[in-house]
Amino acid sequence: MTDTALTPAEPLVLGIESSCDETGVGIVRGNELLAHEVASSVDLHVRYGGVVPEVAARAHLEAMVPTLERACQTAGVDLSDLDGIAVTAGPGLMGALVVGLSTAKALAAWLDKPLYGVNHLAGHVAVDLLDHGPLPTPCIALLVSGGHTSLLLVEDIATTITELGATIDDAAGEAYDKVARLLGLAYPGGPVIDKAAQLGDPKAIHFPRGLTARHDLEKHRFDFSFSGLKTAVARWVELRQRDGLDVPVNDVCASFQEAVADVLTRKAVDAAQFHGVNHMLIGGGVAANSRLRGLLEERTAAAGIELRRPRPALCTDNGAMIAALGAQVIKAGGRPSSLDISANSGLPVSTILV
Ligand code: KG4
Ligand code: ZN
């Protein structure tokens, strides 16, 4: 633990994020957001229909310094004023993580500032306090993105997070991207399917709800599975084409989306009720989905659970979420990381600080 007498009440923290295809740099003072700059390499991945790790790593290298400079300018702070430098240590793509981690280490060594290697998933939870103030605890967090789908029990954002469940195969956003691809729609698939679904009938086709059968619930009550759903959509489309029939794309999108939103919301509310928690938070790119938001609002309200959702720009990967988590860790007296820490692509969410 650091000497709390030296810990500023509202630390000024720089956060660096590079776990996937977004180079993010954020600056916060305690719970206050001062700068939030993101450079995305999504356009470079479009023709591959998914993130190519080597392409993402190279893009981080090119974007890191300009993004850092923009963040400092926006916040009007000098790097020498910082109380700490927080960086995503994992989970994520190895080559991509290394770029952010090396940058943060170099800055920490050069400026003689403490380094905090933190968990990306915990950052997705912490970011909400920049919009809505201190987190209510305990709280259930539903994280849904292209890389992760998990249900977390958050008792203390700086020290105690338990993973209640996670996807056993594809992440929810990954399922959106794969279904979009098989329907010939653009990448990333989430926003495109969300739009098409508004013109379709969610009851047109009944697609499977992964891990909701009684025998699955025994072992996987709070886990998710989306690969069977993706395969079911692919088979349904293939059969239509084999029979020479048109594929009703809007109905397929609406029915697929209904299956995803139904399972995510059902399990999230069940987790809150099971653990006697009446606060829920949602994060990750898929948190922008209109049906997921609508159904979750409906079901949490019916269950007497208060729902918090950061603004969409803070739901997707960014540096502000890492800075926000870093500030909480510093306030809790967390020990700075060694300059020797390594990136960990499989870092468990229970390890908030490396
Ligand atoms: O959090 P994020 O920006 O990056 C990571 O994967 O960590 O999430 C990106 C994912 C993509 O799979 C994208 O298709 C999905 O979020 N997404 C959506 C929507 N907007 C983005 N999925 C469903 N509905 C949306 N409106
Ligand atoms: Zn993420």
Side-chain angles (χ1 to χ4, degrees):
M1 292 284 152
T2 51
D3 181 349
T4 46
L6 298 176
T7 305
E10 300 301 339
L12 183 67
V13 183
L14 175 81
I16 297 180
E17 153 64 31
S18 71
S19 66
C20 191
D21 58 343
E22 261 104 28
T23 311
V25 180
I27 300 176
V28 306
R29 190 185 301 278
N31 293 355
E32 189 195 351
L33 178 61
L34 302 182
H36 159 52
E37 296 293 333
V38 175
S40 175
S41 65
V42 68
D43 290 348
L44 302 177
H45 309 288
V46 166
R47 66 187 165 125
Y48 305 104
V51 176
V52 182
E54 292 77 5
V55 174
R58 177 157 290 276
H60 284 306
L61 269 178
E62 285 169 12
M64 188 58 76
V65 172
T67 310
L68 180 61
E69 284 172 349
R70 279 206 313 277
C72 288
Q73 250 172 27
T74 309
V77 300
D78 197 276
L79 289 173
S80 61
D81 298 332
L82 294 173
D83 294 306
I85 296 165
V87 60
T88 303
L93 303 170
M94 200 58 187
L97 286 168
V98 164
V99 178
L101 196 55
S102 309
T103 308
K105 285 180 183 180
L107 285 174
W110 167 48
L111 298 163
D112 193 23
K113 301 287 180 188
L115 174 76
Y116 297 89
V118 297
N119 191 298
H120 176 85
L121 300 178
H124 271 302
V125 180
V127 76
D128 185 66
L129 56 78
L130 298 176
D131 269 346
H132 303 115
L135 293 183
T137 49
C139 143
I140 295 289
L142 172 64
L143 297 188
V144 271
S145 75
H148 28 79
T149 300
S150 355
L151 268 174
L152 311 175
L153 173 62
V154 183
E155 288 169 276
D156 182 329
I157 186 61
T159 60
T160 320
I161 300 182
T162 311
E163 186 172 78
L164 304 175
T167 180
I168 61 168
D169 41 54
D170 292 349
E174 197 179 347
Y176 267 93
D177 296 337
K178 288 178 175 173
V179 165
R181 196 174 184 180
L182 71 90
L183 290 172
L185 303 174
Y187 173 84
V192 188
I193 290 184
D194 196 352
K195 208 164 159 205
Q198 321 221 347
L199 305 170
D201 175 5
K203 295 202 177 96
I205 312 150
H206 185 82
F207 286 126
R209 271 60 171 163
L211 298 184
T212 55
R214 187 172 297 184
H215 63 275
D216 287 324
L217 288 178
E218 281 167 24
K219 238 182 104 182
H220 292 292
R221 182 164 179 173
F222 303 128
D223 289 327
F224 303 97
S225 166
F226 295 107
S227 104
L229 170 61
K230 171 207 65 195
T231 307
V233 175
R235 289 200 51 202
W236 195 89
V237 169
E238 269 164 32
L239 287 177
R240 287 287 291 195
Q241 287 169 335
R242 191 199 63 190
D243 296 342
L245 298 167
D246 281 347
V247 175
V249 171
N250 295 340
D251 284 349
V252 174
C253 288
S255 303
F256 159 77
Q257 177 156 287
E258 194 62 21
V260 175
D262 182 26
V263 175
L264 288 172
T265 52
R266 229 196 283 178
K267 293 206 176 209
V269 169
D270 184 33
Q273 288 177 326
F274 181 81
H275 289 278
V277 172
N278 57 6
H279 290 278
M280 190 182 294
L281 192 151
I282 181 167
V286 185
N289 184 260
S290 61
R291 181 59 182 149
L292 176 61
R293 288 168 52 177
L295 196 56
L296 198 57
E297 266 160 28
E298 224 173 83
R299 290 183 172 173
T300 49
I305 298 164
E306 212 171 293
L307 180 66
R308 290 188 22 164
R309 206 185 63 89
R311 74 186 96 151
L314 293 182
C315 281
T316 49
D317 292 349
N318 64 81
M321 68 191 216
I322 301 306
L325 177 58
Q328 294 305 304
V329 165
I330 293 174
K331 284 168 92 164
R335 185 192 294 274
S337 307
S338 145
L339 286 181
D340 291 345
I341 57 166
S342 306
N344 181 347
S345 60
L347 188 68
V349 69
S350 50
T351 306
I352 298 167
L353 175 65
V354 176

